[in-house]
Amino acid sequence: MQKLESLYPEAEIITVVLDNLNTHNASSFYETFDVREAARLADRFNFVYTPKSASWLNMIEIEFSALSRQCLNRCISSISKLSNEVIAYFKERSKKAIKIDWQFSRETARKKLNKYYTKVNSEKKKLLLHGI
């Protein structure tokens, strides 16, 4: 997070979208840094969480799981070697054109998420009626 922060020195608040893993919150700053640094970082970040019931949104989690099982499941002696291994792993996956078997269709999404569309559309309608 310190590195991410350094990439956006002008930003007052940095919004980060995360899943609901128990370590993905500002309390982790206090477990890692002294109180001043933890408080400073906590004030810089706004955490937005993906819904717990929407694991299908976390396609990157599938990639991390594959990486972990197929590449990182052993002792790697240095950061340099780790970097080389991960790059080689993704080059190989890219070369093989490995894809995720997406089974969540647009139709299924509409059925499952219709209650959210209704809510969003009614809010949008209210704003339009008020000229906003």
Side-chain angles (χ1 to χ4, degrees):
M1 293 310 238
Q2 286 174 319
K3 183 167 181 151
L4 179 62
E5 178 192 37
S6 74
L7 296 173
Y8 302 97
E10 303 296 319
E12 289 180 34
I13 299 289
I14 299 168
T15 299
V16 182
V17 178
L18 305 160
D19 64 11
N20 284 283
L21 186 65
N22 62 343
T23 60
H24 292 169
N25 58 57
S27 67
S28 293
F29 293 143
Y30 292 90
E31 293 173 18
T32 308
F33 304 108
D34 66 60
V35 174
R36 282 190 182 153
E37 178 65 0
R40 188 186 71 72
L41 287 169
D43 288 343
R44 287 277 278 145
F45 288 95
N46 172 42
F47 297 119
V48 176
Y49 299 97
T50 58
K52 288 181 183 177
S53 61
S55 61
W56 50 270
L57 290 174
N58 298 320
M59 300 310 283
I60 192 63
E61 298 263 343
I62 293 169
E63 286 298 316
F64 283 136
S65 176
L67 172 68
S68 186
R69 285 181 283 112
Q70 297 172 16
C71 179
L72 306 178
N73 59 350
R74 64 197 189 292
C75 181
I76 299 175
S77 59
S78 69
I79 296 292
S80 174
K81 185 168 171 95
L82 173 64
S83 179
N84 290 338
E85 293 284 331
V86 170
I87 290 168
Y89 170 80
F90 281 110
K91 279 184 179 176
E92 182 66 19
R93 278 182 76 82
S94 183
K95 185 173 130 189
K96 289 180 178 177
I98 294 174
K99 296 183 173 142
I100 294 171
D101 183 15
W102 182 258
Q103 296 182 10
F104 197 78
S105 69
R106 184 179 294 170
E107 184 179 312
T108 305
R110 285 187 176 138
K111 284 178 186 174
K112 280 191 155 207
L113 303 173
N114 188 48
K115 64 183 175 185
Y116 300 111
Y117 296 148
T118 304
K119 183 178 177 183
V120 168
N121 287 334
S122 68
E123 291 298 319
K124 184 178 175 184
K125 194 175 191 179
K126 285 180 193 174
L127 292 173
L128 290 173
L129 288 173
H130 291 31
I132 300 172

